mmCIF file with all atom_site columns, all heavy atoms in Angstrom:
data_model
loop_
_atom_site.group_PDB
_atom_site.id
_atom_site.type_symbol
_atom_site.label_atom_id
_atom_site.label_alt_id
_atom_site.label_comp_id
_atom_site.label_asym_id
_atom_site.label_entity_id
_atom_site.label_seq_id
_atom_site.pdbx_PDB_ins_code
_atom_site.Cartn_x
_atom_site.Cartn_y
_atom_site.Cartn_z
_atom_site.occupancy
_atom_site.B_iso_or_equiv
_atom_site.pdbx_formal_charge
_atom_site.auth_seq_id
_atom_site.auth_comp_id
_atom_site.auth_asym_id
_atom_site.auth_atom_id
_atom_site.pdbx_PDB_model_num
ATOM 1  N N   . HIS A 1 115 ? -3.098 2.552  6.192  1.00 0.00 ? 373 HIS A N   1
ATOM 2  C CA  . HIS A 1 115 ? -3.199 3.927  5.686  1.00 0.00 ? 373 HIS A CA  1
ATOM 3  C C   . HIS A 1 115 ? -1.880 4.586  5.662  1.00 0.00 ? 373 HIS A C   1
ATOM 4  O O   . HIS A 1 115 ? -1.203 4.723  6.661  1.00 0.00 ? 373 HIS A O   1
ATOM 5  C CB  . HIS A 1 115 ? -4.137 4.651  6.523  1.00 0.00 ? 373 HIS A CB  1
ATOM 6  C CG  . HIS A 1 115 ? -4.996 5.689  5.854  1.00 0.00 ? 373 HIS A CG  1
ATOM 7  N ND1 . HIS A 1 115 ? -5.927 5.540  5.020  1.00 0.00 ? 373 HIS A ND1 1
ATOM 8  C CD2 . HIS A 1 115 ? -4.840 7.069  5.956  1.00 0.00 ? 373 HIS A CD2 1
ATOM 9  C CE1 . HIS A 1 115 ? -6.324 6.702  4.439  1.00 0.00 ? 373 HIS A CE1 1
ATOM 10 N NE2 . HIS A 1 115 ? -5.649 7.585  5.006  1.00 0.00 ? 373 HIS A NE2 1
ATOM 11 N N   . ASP A 1 116 ? -1.547 5.165  4.479  1.00 0.00 ? 374 ASP A N   1
ATOM 12 C CA  . ASP A 1 116 ? -0.297 5.685  4.275  1.00 0.00 ? 374 ASP A CA  1
ATOM 13 C C   . ASP A 1 116 ? 0.067  6.900  5.197  1.00 0.00 ? 374 ASP A C   1
ATOM 14 O O   . ASP A 1 116 ? 1.097  6.741  5.948  1.00 0.00 ? 374 ASP A O   1
ATOM 15 C CB  . ASP A 1 116 ? -0.072 6.153  2.915  1.00 0.00 ? 374 ASP A CB  1
ATOM 16 C CG  . ASP A 1 116 ? 0.740  5.220  2.073  1.00 0.00 ? 374 ASP A CG  1
ATOM 17 O OD1 . ASP A 1 116 ? 1.088  4.149  2.682  1.00 0.00 ? 374 ASP A OD1 1
ATOM 18 O OD2 . ASP A 1 116 ? 0.865  5.419  0.891  1.00 0.00 ? 374 ASP A OD2 1
ATOM 19 N N   . TRP A 1 117 ? -0.767 7.805  5.310  1.00 0.00 ? 375 TRP A N   1
ATOM 20 C CA  . TRP A 1 117 ? -0.403 9.082  6.117  1.00 0.00 ? 375 TRP A CA  1
ATOM 21 C C   . TRP A 1 117 ? -0.483 8.779  7.615  1.00 0.00 ? 375 TRP A C   1
ATOM 22 O O   . TRP A 1 117 ? -0.075 9.507  8.512  1.00 0.00 ? 375 TRP A O   1
ATOM 23 C CB  . TRP A 1 117 ? -1.027 10.336 5.637  1.00 0.00 ? 375 TRP A CB  1
ATOM 24 C CG  . TRP A 1 117 ? -2.438 10.340 5.918  1.00 0.00 ? 375 TRP A CG  1
ATOM 25 C CD1 . TRP A 1 117 ? -3.468 10.340 5.024  1.00 0.00 ? 375 TRP A CD1 1
ATOM 26 C CD2 . TRP A 1 117 ? -3.132 10.860 7.167  1.00 0.00 ? 375 TRP A CD2 1
ATOM 27 N NE1 . TRP A 1 117 ? -4.685 10.527 5.550  1.00 0.00 ? 375 TRP A NE1 1
ATOM 28 C CE2 . TRP A 1 117 ? -4.492 10.876 6.857  1.00 0.00 ? 375 TRP A CE2 1
ATOM 29 C CE3 . TRP A 1 117 ? -2.644 11.158 8.422  1.00 0.00 ? 375 TRP A CE3 1
ATOM 30 C CZ2 . TRP A 1 117 ? -5.443 11.216 7.822  1.00 0.00 ? 375 TRP A CZ2 1
ATOM 31 C CZ3 . TRP A 1 117 ? -3.541 11.619 9.382  1.00 0.00 ? 375 TRP A CZ3 1
ATOM 32 C CH2 . TRP A 1 117 ? -4.868 11.614 9.012  1.00 0.00 ? 375 TRP A CH2 1
ATOM 33 N N   . SER A 1 118 ? -1.336 7.672  7.899  1.00 0.00 ? 376 SER A N   1
ATOM 34 C CA  . SER A 1 118 ? -1.434 7.345  9.313  1.00 0.00 ? 376 SER A CA  1
ATOM 35 C C   . SER A 1 118 ? -0.011 6.630  9.691  1.00 0.00 ? 376 SER A C   1
ATOM 36 O O   . SER A 1 118 ? 0.460  6.996  10.810 1.00 0.00 ? 376 SER A O   1
ATOM 37 C CB  . SER A 1 118 ? -2.618 6.195  9.544  1.00 0.00 ? 376 SER A CB  1
ATOM 38 O OG  . SER A 1 118 ? -3.839 6.833  9.248  1.00 0.00 ? 376 SER A OG  1
ATOM 39 N N   . ALA A 1 119 ? 0.507  5.908  8.809  1.00 0.00 ? 377 ALA A N   1
ATOM 40 C CA  . ALA A 1 119 ? 1.849  5.336  9.034  1.00 0.00 ? 377 ALA A CA  1
ATOM 41 C C   . ALA A 1 119 ? 2.883  6.435  9.227  1.00 0.00 ? 377 ALA A C   1
ATOM 42 O O   . ALA A 1 119 ? 3.613  6.439  10.086 1.00 0.00 ? 377 ALA A O   1
ATOM 43 C CB  . ALA A 1 119 ? 2.199  4.467  7.932  1.00 0.00 ? 377 ALA A CB  1
#
Side-chain angles (χ1 to χ4, degrees):
Chain A
H373 206 73
D374 261 359
W375 71 260
S376 296

